Every structure is written in structure tokens, then in C-alpha cells.
């Protein structure tokens, strides 16, 4: 049982670490392309907004999957307890 819990915790920590790695890479790359776009001149089209919007949406979904709807989320834990309670009451 303890080994199973360890493996679950290890997987969860990896998911969180992967999200933060993704977030840091996003921030660095978006900052770099924003600077490149702004240095090009004052009448240039703000093309950096396209990767910012698209990739930003992907990072948002990754965060939601990791912290809100992922395994081990508080919502999932509450729902499991609620269903288990209902099952006990139905017996």
C-alpha cells in the first residue's frame, strides 16, 4: 500500500513539475518574441499576440488539467468521498 501511495505521489509531483516547466518556457519565449517584435519598429504588426494567445490557451488548459481536474485534485477527492458516502447509505 505504501509503495502504491509513493508511486501516485511521484506521478503527481512529476505532473506539477511538468506544468511549471511548461509555464517557464512559455514566459521566456513569449518575452523574447515580444521584445523582437517591439524592437522591429513602431509601425510593425504585433504578430507576437498570435503565439501568445494560442500558446497561452494551451498553458491555461495544462494548468487546469494539472490543478483543477487532474488526478488528486480537491474536486476529485470531494466527489469520491461524496460517492462513497452515497454508496454506504444505499446499502
Amino acid at each position: 500500500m505504501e509503495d502504491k501511495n509513493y508511486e501516485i505521489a511521484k506521478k503527481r509531483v512529476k505532473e506539477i513539475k511538468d506544468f511549471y516547466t511548461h509555464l517557464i518556457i512559455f514566459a521566456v519565449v513569449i518575452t523574447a518574441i515580444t521584445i523582437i517584435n517591439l524592437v522591429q519598429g513602431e509601425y510593425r504588426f504585433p504578430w507576437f499576440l498570435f503565439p501568445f494567445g494560442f500558446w497561452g490557451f494551451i498553458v491555461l488548459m495544462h494548468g487546469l488539467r494539472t490543478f483543477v481536474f487532474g488526478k488528486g485534485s480537491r474536486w476529485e477527492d470531494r466527489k469520491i468521498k461524496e460517492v462513497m458516502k452515497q454508496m454506504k447509505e444505499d446499502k
Side-chain angles (χ1 to χ4, degrees):
M1 183 68 165
E2 202 169 300
D3 289 334
K4 183 179 177 184
N5 288 338
Y6 174 78
E7 290 301 320
I8 292 170
K10 185 176 177 180
K11 183 179 177 192
R12 179 75 179 136
V13 168
K14 183 181 180 334
E15 290 172 358
I16 293 169
K17 180 182 168 195
D18 289 347
F19 169 73
Y20 284 124
T21 301
H22 189 186
L23 184 63
I24 289 168
I25 292 170
F26 168 76
V28 168
V29 171
I30 292 298
T31 301
I33 66 172
T34 301
I35 290 169
I36 290 168
N37 189 212
L38 295 176
V39 168
Q40 287 179 344
E42 72 184 78
Y43 299 109
R44 296 285 179 174
F45 181 75
W47 54 264
F48 70 91
L49 293 174
F50 293 109
F52 176 79
F54 179 72
W55 197 1
F57 178 75
I58 292 171
V59 170
L60 175 67
M61 292 297 107
H62 190 175
L64 288 174
R65 187 185 72 213
T66 301
F67 295 109
V68 178
F69 301 112
K71 297 208 182 260
S73 69
R74 282 182 253 153
W75 175 86
E76 185 177 335
D77 291 341
R78 285 193 312 265
K79 201 63 174 169
I80 289 170
K81 288 176 184 175
E82 179 184 321
V83 169
M84 288 174 64
K85 183 179 176 182
Q86 276 183 332
M87 289 171 61
K88 279 185 179 181
E89 290 173 359
D90 289 343
K91 285 186 177 184

